Amino acid sequence: MPTPPDPAVCRALAADLRGAGFTADALREAWGEAADAAIARGLRGPAERALAGRDDALAVLARLFVLGRQQQAAAVEAALPRTTAAGLAALDLAAAAADGLIAPRALIRPQEFSDAAGEVQWWIASDLDEAALGGPLPEGHVLGVGGASLTLAGLQLPGRVGRVLDVGTGCGIQALRARRDADRVVATDLSERALHFTQLNAQLNGVDGIEMRLGSLFEPVTGEQFERIVSNPPFVITPRAEGVPAYEYRDGGLVGDALVAGFISGVGPLLAPGGVAQLLGNWEYRDGVDGLDRVRQWVAASDIPLDAWVVEREVLDPLAYAELWIRDGGTTPGPAFTRLVDAWLDDFAARGVTAVGFGYVLLHRPASAVPTLARYERVTQAVPGALGPHLQAALDAHDRLSRLDDDQLAASVLQVAPDVTEARHHLPGAEAPSVIELRQGGGFGRTLEVDPALAGLVGACDGDLSVGVLMDAIAQLLEVDAAALRADLLPRVRELLFTGFLTFA
């Protein structure tokens, strides 16, 4: 295990960052929205232009820790009076360079978000990126907070729990987020440097209750159980070929999608009854077998019966997948890029891979030991916001629905969710609509095409009359058989309750 960072120096650095107003809002104001977006694409020039001529503490720290540029030692000392350059060196965040300059050894970027407990402003340290390094990343690189990290953080279920496990913690962002709702968090990683950053970030932001353990995947927690498990594992499919970088933060060292397969089939024993595991992953479309069908096989291979909800968000062809992850490592087009593309394509061809899917996996260990949820779906539209509360509401609805037979559901009183709207499309001059759509403003932002009977039922669900009474009235209005209509509508009502278009009154 790495030597823990000095708590006193971490507190001093937090006080200095706070004193300098080193926040996400302040940085966006300093260099503008366009430059802020450009930084995410690896372009530092617009932000540097905006800060030109400024030597205040915010500008100095922005250049040092966000843009990864060397700064004059005197300016750094002035910006960090409590920490000093010696304190930065003690935390391995910066080091003295030639000509009286301080060189960053890590990035520190503000992260802001809100949840049910309130607004949060953190600082997250990680390794220098390719823009700061001026070239490809080293294989031991510890990634900062990227798009995948934010996605998984937004997927975490809300609600108080006892113990949470963060597998492959990296810079620790998932562990910090999980600690907001958990009594204790265990964060594991096979990289000592990753655990160093997790410890540093926890202390820098005053977050306790996170235990660090060194090791691969489930090895450090064998025999233990957790109410929640969260993981952004090294799921990227990488050729096992000479000359192909194996980045620790994204490559698990296995062939194809074997790491995700092993995680899904092996996580069950670590879940306490009623516990939930959430992860991101890639899966191959291989030899004519659909990617989601392969994930279904992995769930079925678990020794512990599990509920599963798997959402595929996108599918890439082998070439697009290769280019995405080669660029991610900092390799730009040229001979080296071409060699890496060939290695990826050869690897995919050897296994008959025609596409790669990416998505979210939610696994639940039912307390009854009898799974009742097996949902594998494709949802490719943009998602309006964090999905954690929506996922929890869907699981709660499923749990309630699994205890209701059709007669009990018909006796239930429902209401339309407040984010649902209806759109009707008419052909010119036509009295009746040719298409009726229900649109969801939250959750997955789903749009469903419905028939007049279901549209009428949803529109009448105002928390007053039962579903059965409403269906009988609609059958009479449409002059159709009431029993046949009920048999048609009730399964669709279950789906609308799960997906959040309807709620129990």
Side-chain angles (χ1 to χ4, degrees):
M1 287 290 293
T3 303
D6 188 328
V9 181
C10 289
R11 288 194 296 271
L13 178 56
D16 283 336
L17 295 175
R18 193 176 300 110
F22 191 63
T23 67
D25 284 342
L27 291 173
R28 278 193 295 268
E29 183 178 350
W31 49 48
E33 294 286 349
D36 200 60
I39 291 172
R41 302 193 301 272
L43 300 175
R44 302 293 196 264
E48 291 178 332
R49 288 172 180 270
L51 296 178
R54 289 182 53 171
D55 60 0
D56 55 284
L58 178 64
V60 171
L61 297 178
R63 285 191 288 260
L64 183 69
F65 286 132
V66 179
L67 305 182
R69 301 295 189 245
Q70 296 184 3
Q71 295 295 288
Q72 291 291 333
V76 173
E77 295 280 358
L80 301 172
R82 302 170 184 84
T83 312
T84 72
L88 291 182
L91 297 177
D92 198 29
L93 293 173
D99 301 323
L101 296 173
I102 298 293
R105 287 182 51 79
L107 301 177
I108 301 177
R109 290 178 172 169
Q111 295 292 325
E112 56 187 4
F113 72 94
S114 61
D115 58 16
E119 302 286 331
V120 177
Q121 173 72 64
W122 282 335
W123 301 288
I124 303 297
S126 61
D127 268 328
L128 299 172
D129 59 18
E130 60 268 27
L133 292 170
L137 301 173
E139 294 189 5
H141 177 81
V142 177
L143 191 67
V145 180
S149 302
L150 295 175
T151 295
L152 183 59
L155 289 170
Q156 288 196 35
L157 300 182
R160 198 71 200 168
V161 292
R163 299 181 76 217
V164 174
L165 171 64
D166 176 17
V167 180
T169 190
C171 68
I173 184 62
Q174 306 305 331
L176 267 65
R177 287 291 293 265
R179 181 67 175 90
R180 301 272 290 170
D181 287 326
D183 296 332
R184 304 290 296 179
V185 174
V186 175
T188 70
D189 208 292
L190 56 73
S191 164
E192 289 194 6
R193 185 157 179 79
L195 294 180
H196 163 76
F197 276 116
T198 298
Q199 290 179 310
L200 173 63
N201 289 326
Q203 292 198 19
L204 186 59
N205 295 290
V207 179
D208 62 2
I210 299 178
E211 179 186 351
M212 322 297 169
R213 298 190 193 175
L214 182 66
S216 177
L217 291 177
F218 306 140
E219 291 174 0
V221 291
T222 301
E224 300 181 49
Q225 289 189 333
F226 302 84
E227 287 97 326
R228 297 271 172 80
I229 297 175
V230 62
S231 182
N232 183 9
F235 59 74
V236 176
I237 298 167
T238 306
R240 307 262 70 87
E242 185 178 353
V244 178
Y247 296 113
E248 289 182 353
Y249 73 89
R250 71 183 203 190
D251 174 22
L254 302 180
V255 174
D257 51 19
L259 184 135
V260 176
F263 191 110
I264 291 174
S265 61
V267 73
L270 277 74
L271 285 171
V276 171
Q278 293 178 275
L279 66 146
L280 305 180
N282 277 155
W283 37 84
E284 295 178 339
Y285 286 63
R286 185 192 298 178
D287 291 330
V289 180
D290 185 281
L292 285 180
D293 287 340
R294 298 187 67 244
V295 180
R296 192 189 298 268
Q297 294 168 7
W298 302 340
V299 175
S302 171
D303 292 335
I304 303 295
L306 297 174
D307 289 319
W309 184 5
V310 181
V311 180
E312 185 175 77
R313 296 289 286 142
E314 66 176 343
V315 178
L316 295 178
D317 63 71
L319 177 57
Y321 188 88
E323 290 186 85
L324 170 68
W325 291 110
I326 295 168
R327 292 179 190 276
D328 178 80
T331 301
T332 56
F337 190 96
T338 301
R339 285 194 296 272
L340 290 175
V341 168
D342 288 340
W344 248 276
L345 296 182
D346 289 344
D347 179 61
F348 284 137
R351 289 192 306 282
V353 176
T354 56
V356 180
F358 165 80
Y360 318 148
V361 178
L362 187 154
L363 305 170
H364 169 246
R365 180 174 182 175
S368 66
V370 179
T372 58
L373 178 63
R375 188 179 181 96
Y376 298 81
E377 60 180 324
R378 293 179 172 89
V379 182
T380 58
Q381 69 270 13
V383 174
L387 285 167
H390 174 73
L391 298 180
Q392 185 63 65
L395 294 177
D396 292 342
H398 172 79
D399 184 57
R400 184 168 179 176
L401 285 166
S402 67
R403 300 193 299 269
L404 297 180
D405 61 24
D406 281 353
D407 289 339
Q408 291 169 320
L409 178 57
S412 302
V413 178
L414 308 179
Q415 57 191 28
V416 183
D419 64 321
V420 172
T421 57
E422 181 187 277
R424 294 182 176 236
H425 304 270
H426 294 73
L427 292 173
E431 181 178 352
S434 56
V435 176
I436 305 173
E437 292 178 334
L438 297 178
R439 296 175 178 174
Q440 185 179 50
F444 280 103
R446 301 175 191 265
T447 297
L448 300 179
E449 185 174 335
V450 298
D451 55 35
L454 186 57
L457 176 62
V458 171
C461 286
D462 58 3
D464 185 16
L465 300 176
S466 71
V467 173
V469 170
L470 294 175
M471 287 190 296
D472 288 343
I474 292 170
Q476 185 175 4
L477 180 65
L478 297 178
E479 298 180 342
V480 298
D481 181 73
L485 184 67
R486 178 176 294 211
D488 173 56
L489 290 182
L490 283 176
R492 293 195 280 166
V493 168
R494 290 181 182 273
E495 174 70 6
L496 291 176
L497 282 164
F498 181 86
T499 52
F501 285 83
L502 293 174
T503 63
F504 289 96

